[in-house]
């Protein structure tokens, strides 16, 4: 699961963040991230020292003026090509290459209210996700994610959309890189029945989910349409466990996300998730259902 809602990873937006109880320095989120903002200021200072306008630098690095501006303002993670060409264009001292090593990946393209959770997510020893709106961001195919971003309001430029898409796909890397971390997903059946694109795109989305949930450490459970009402109807929910054994939660609504740390509230949320896990189809039944849905497309 940059743009609105959509599992919080969507919007590179600006919205308030509410945390249940302050629990440490990670609660105080700089916006944009300090590393991106510092790197951007460094690029701007070197550019101005060289007597170049943003348009001049854009021509030399073969990126758009908007990209140069986004990097300088700390809104975009520069890729390797940008860093190398900017280095050559601004004196070739090695300073930009060294500074780029300290950039925090995974910040650009993430909603302001989701960044803290994304950071915790990368260090979690387990992650549980319940989703009733759309395919969880960690399981979305590139074509599905693009369709989600293209349909959000306010509309994004093509460049902003690409940044958001890159951030979404980058989050999925941690699942492949952490084969011993348990990932649990409970998803409503109707999520996979919601149409987007053509039949080929929908089949590709299902294939992507089947591929990502095939490893032994990843569990997918489906809640069939006929299952009736259940304990998690308040909305999507994510729960993670830290290396210290602490459980934290995350829920999201329109233009905001809420990081939950209160122990009493977490006990309740864990009980709800565990209850739903017992009510959902088991992993084998869930894969069978998903494959049948694919066959209907």
């Amino acid at each position: 699961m940059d743009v609105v809602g959509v599992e919080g990873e969507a919007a590179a937006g600006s919205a308030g963040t509410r945390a249940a109880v302050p629990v440490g320095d990670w609660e105080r989120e700089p916006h944009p991230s300090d590393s991106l903002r510092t790197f951007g200021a460094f690029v701007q200072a070197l550019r101005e020292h060289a007597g170049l306008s943003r348009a001049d630098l854009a021509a030399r690095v073969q990126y758009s003026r908007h990209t140069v501006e986004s990097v300088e303002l700390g809104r975009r993670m520069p890729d390797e090509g940008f860093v190398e060409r900017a280095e050559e264009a601004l004196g070739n001292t090695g300073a930009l290459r060294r500074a780029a090593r300290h950039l925090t990946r995974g910040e650009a393209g993430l909603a302001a209210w989701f960044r803290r959770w994304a950071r915790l997510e990368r260090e979690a020893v387990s992650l549980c996700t319940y989703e009733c709106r759309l395919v969880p961001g960690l399981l979305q195919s590139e074509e599905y994610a693009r369709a989600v971003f293209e349909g959000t309001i306010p509309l994004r430029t093509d460049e902003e959309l690409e940044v958001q898409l890159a951030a979404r796909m980058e989050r999925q890397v941690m699942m492949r890189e952490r084969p011993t971390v348990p990932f649990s997903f409970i998803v409503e059946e109707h999520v996979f029945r919601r149409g987007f694109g053509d039949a080929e795109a929908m089949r590709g989305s299902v294939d992507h989910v089947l591929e990502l949930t095939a490893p032994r450490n990843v569990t997918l459970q489906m809640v069939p349409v006929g299952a009736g009402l259940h304990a998690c109807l308040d909305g999507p929910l994510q729960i993670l466990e830290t290396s210290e054994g602490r459980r934290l939660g995350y829920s999201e609504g329109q233009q905001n996300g809420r990081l939950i740390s209160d122990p009493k509230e977490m006990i309740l949320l864990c009980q709800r998730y565990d209850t739903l896990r017992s009510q959902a189809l088991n992993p084998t039944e869930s894969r069978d259902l998903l494959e049948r849905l694919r066959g209907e497309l």
Side-chain angles (χ1 to χ4, degrees):
M1 10 319 201
D2 339 55
V3 320
V4 310
V6 195
E7 211 194 44
E9 333 139 52
S14 56
T17 302
R18 297 170 292 146
V21 177
V23 295
D25 290 341
W26 52 265
E27 282 275 354
R28 294 185 287 277
E29 173 64 39
H31 175 58
S33 77
D34 282 345
S35 65
L36 289 178
R37 183 170 54 191
T38 301
F39 181 85
F42 195 28
V43 171
Q44 181 175 351
L46 289 176
R47 174 181 61 77
E48 293 175 348
H49 180 73
L52 300 175
S53 67
R54 283 176 174 162
D56 294 333
L57 181 58
R60 297 194 183 193
V61 299
Q62 300 174 39
Y63 285 78
S64 69
R65 183 189 179 283
H66 179 75
T67 296
V68 172
E69 180 181 15
S70 294
V71 170
E72 290 188 352
L73 295 178
R75 294 196 302 244
R76 175 167 182 164
M77 171 73 73
D79 60 24
E80 184 177 348
F82 182 97
V83 174
E84 286 300 316
R85 293 171 195 167
E87 180 68 68
E88 294 172 4
L90 298 175
N92 209 21
T93 63
L96 286 181
R97 292 189 190 98
R98 288 194 295 273
R101 296 178 196 148
H102 300 286
L103 287 171
T104 303
R105 297 198 64 81
E107 297 292 321
L110 298 182
W113 58 85
F114 188 76
R115 291 176 185 148
R116 294 178 302 173
W117 180 260
R119 201 172 300 156
L120 290 164
E121 188 179 62
R122 293 194 293 269
E123 304 297 327
V125 298
S126 70
L127 180 67
C128 297
T129 300
Y130 164 66
E131 184 56 76
C132 58
R133 304 168 302 172
L134 71 167
V135 175
L138 287 175
L139 301 181
Q140 290 179 8
S141 68
E142 183 171 334
E143 198 160 2
Y144 184 99
R146 183 181 296 277
V148 170
F149 293 145
E150 288 177 344
T152 55
I153 303 296
L155 297 177
R156 305 299 186 194
T157 66
D158 289 345
E159 188 172 24
E160 289 170 335
L161 190 149
E162 292 303 322
V163 172
Q164 295 166 352
L165 187 60
R168 175 69 48 94
M169 295 299 103
E170 184 173 333
R171 277 187 68 228
Q172 296 183 5
V173 173
M174 73 170 180
M175 291 184 62
R176 298 185 176 95
E177 293 180 341
R178 309 186 72 197
T180 60
V181 174
F183 291 89
S184 169
F185 297 92
I186 302 177
V187 186
E188 300 280 353
E189 176 187 346
H190 68 255
V191 164
F192 294 101
R193 291 188 175 276
R194 185 184 299 276
F196 80 97
D198 54 21
E200 183 178 355
M202 293 184 67
R203 284 192 292 269
S205 174
V206 173
D207 288 341
H208 190 71
V209 172
L210 289 170
E211 176 188 353
L212 289 181
T213 57
R216 289 183 294 112
N217 66 312
V218 184
T219 301
L220 171 66
Q221 291 182 257
M222 302 272 282
V223 182
V225 172
L229 304 179
H230 57 73
C232 286
L233 291 178
D234 281 353
L237 172 66
Q238 295 187 67
I239 297 171
L240 64 74
E241 183 177 0
T242 70
S243 57
E244 295 81 21
R246 183 172 192 176
R247 289 188 172 182
L248 300 170
Y250 177 80
S251 65
E252 185 177 83
Q254 296 282 342
Q255 287 296 105
N256 69 78
R258 180 169 178 248
L259 197 153
I260 304 163
S261 56
D262 179 68
K264 292 182 179 179
E265 191 168 358
M266 284 309 306
I267 289 174
L268 178 62
L269 294 179
C270 289
Q271 289 175 343
R272 290 179 180 177
Y273 190 88
D274 290 341
T275 299
L276 181 58
R277 182 151 47 187
S278 69
Q279 296 170 335
L281 298 179
N282 66 43
T284 300
E285 294 169 337
S286 297
R287 290 185 71 83
D288 288 345
L289 174 56
L290 195 53
E291 289 171 350
R292 289 199 303 274
L293 293 179
R294 187 193 186 283
E296 296 173 7
L297 297 173

